[in-house]
């Protein structure tokens, strides 16, 4: 059986670090995720996904992300239920976050790494990842990034 969730969207509020009675840190947040398809002539729809992160992942999330930040998470779905103050039974569905990834532009002072619950820093301290392969980086170029060569010039290689 599998229970794997991968989401990419924007945080709807600043994540807030909280602590359970037993001293375990956690963070609840909501990620707004646009639906891929919409009917022609209608507005694009957005789903608001409730998430929870625990321990170091929660600490990382609250330290490096804020309202409106683009974020990618990987985790699993967890359901539960409780009885509210009026005696009504309520059901919950949350994504339990195992890994958090930066997906937007770097902000000043932000490092380029992801954080998972079992991640350890690499030797050069440039990347936090649960797997050992470095994350690929991509950038888009401008026309100013390239020199124009005439057709009769020798190639530089």
């Amino acid at each position: 059986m599998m229970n794997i969730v991968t989401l990419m969207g924007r945080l709807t509020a600043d994540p807030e670090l909280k602590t359970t009675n037993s001293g375990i840190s956690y963070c609840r947040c909501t990620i707004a995720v646009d639906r891929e398809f919409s009917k022609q002539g209608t507005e694009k729809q957005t789903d608001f996904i409730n998430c929870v992160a625990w321990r170091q992942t929660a600490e990382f999330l609250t330290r490096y992300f804020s309202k409106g930040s683009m974020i990618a998470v990987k985790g699993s779905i967890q359901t539960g239920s409780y009885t509210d103050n009026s005696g009504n039974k309520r059901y919950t569905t949350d994504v339990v976050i195992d890994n958090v990834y930066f997906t937007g532009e770097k902000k000043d002072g932000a490092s380029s790494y992801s954080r998972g619950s079992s991640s350890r820093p690499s030797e050069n301290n440039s990347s936090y990842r649960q797997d050992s392969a470095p994350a690929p980086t991509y950038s888009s170029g401008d026309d100013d990034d390239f020199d124009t060569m005439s057709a009769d010039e020798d190639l530089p290689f």
Side-chain angles (χ1 to χ4, degrees), residues 48-61:
F48 296 89
I49 313 294
N50 295 323
C51 301
V52 62
W54 294 93
R55 297 176 180 82
Q56 293 88 357
T57 306
E59 293 167 10
F60 180 85
L61 179 65

Side-chain angles (χ1 to χ4, degrees), residues 28 40 43 64 101 124 126 149:
R28 291 192 160 281
Q40 193 170 7
E43 259 186 66
Y64 292 105
Y101 302 92
N124 65 6
S126 65
M149 294 179 62

Side-chain angles (χ1 to χ4, degrees), residues 37-45:
F37 300 101
S38 60
K39 291 181 182 178
Q40 193 170 7
T42 63
E43 259 186 66
K44 190 175 252 188
Q45 294 192 339

Side-chain angles (χ1 to χ4, degrees), residues 95-139:
V95 172
V96 178
I97 299 172
D98 295 324
N99 294 299
V100 176
Y101 302 92
F102 291 106
T103 58
E105 291 183 18
K106 252 196 241 188
K107 293 184 180 177
D108 292 339
S111 298
S112 174
Y113 55 84
S114 64
R115 177 67 175 164
S117 57
S118 62
S119 297
R120 289 187 171 65
S122 65
E123 287 184 24
N124 65 6
N125 234 6
S126 65
S127 176
Y128 278 101
R129 288 190 53 90
Q130 190 163 356
D131 52 11
S132 60
T137 58
Y138 303 96
S139 64

Side-chain angles (χ1 to χ4, degrees), residues 5-152:
V5 174
T6 304
L7 299 171
M8 187 168 83
R10 295 196 181 274
L11 289 173
T12 62
D14 286 337
E16 184 179 332
L17 189 66
K18 296 183 180 182
T19 307
T20 64
N21 293 336
S22 58
I24 298 171
S25 55
Y26 73 98
C27 171
R28 291 192 160 281
C29 62
T30 301
I31 300 175
V33 180
D34 289 335
R35 291 190 184 170
E36 184 118 355
F37 300 101
S38 60
K39 291 181 182 178
Q40 193 170 7
T42 63
E43 259 186 66
K44 190 175 252 188
Q45 294 192 339
T46 302
D47 293 306
F48 296 89
I49 313 294
N50 295 323
C51 301
V52 62
W54 294 93
R55 297 176 180 82
Q56 293 88 357
T57 306
E59 293 167 10
F60 180 85
L61 179 65
T62 58
R63 183 173 180 184
Y64 292 105
F65 292 89
S66 59
K67 178 180 180 178
S69 294
M70 182 65 84
I71 188 171
V73 300
K74 187 174 179 182
S76 58
I77 292 178
Q78 181 176 324
T79 60
S81 64
Y82 66 95
T83 304
D84 67 12
N85 294 337
S86 303
N88 299 318
K89 189 153 188 162
R90 302 286 183 180
Y91 297 92
T92 62
T93 302
D94 294 315
V95 172
V96 178
I97 299 172
D98 295 324
N99 294 299
V100 176
Y101 302 92
F102 291 106
T103 58
E105 291 183 18
K106 252 196 241 188
K107 293 184 180 177
D108 292 339
S111 298
S112 174
Y113 55 84
S114 64
R115 177 67 175 164
S117 57
S118 62
S119 297
R120 289 187 171 65
S122 65
E123 287 184 24
N124 65 6
N125 234 6
S126 65
S127 176
Y128 278 101
R129 288 190 53 90
Q130 190 163 356
D131 52 11
S132 60
T137 58
Y138 303 96
S139 64
S140 59
D142 293 332
D143 289 340
D144 297 336
D145 294 339
F146 302 96
D147 291 329
T148 305
M149 294 179 62
S150 65
D152 56 338

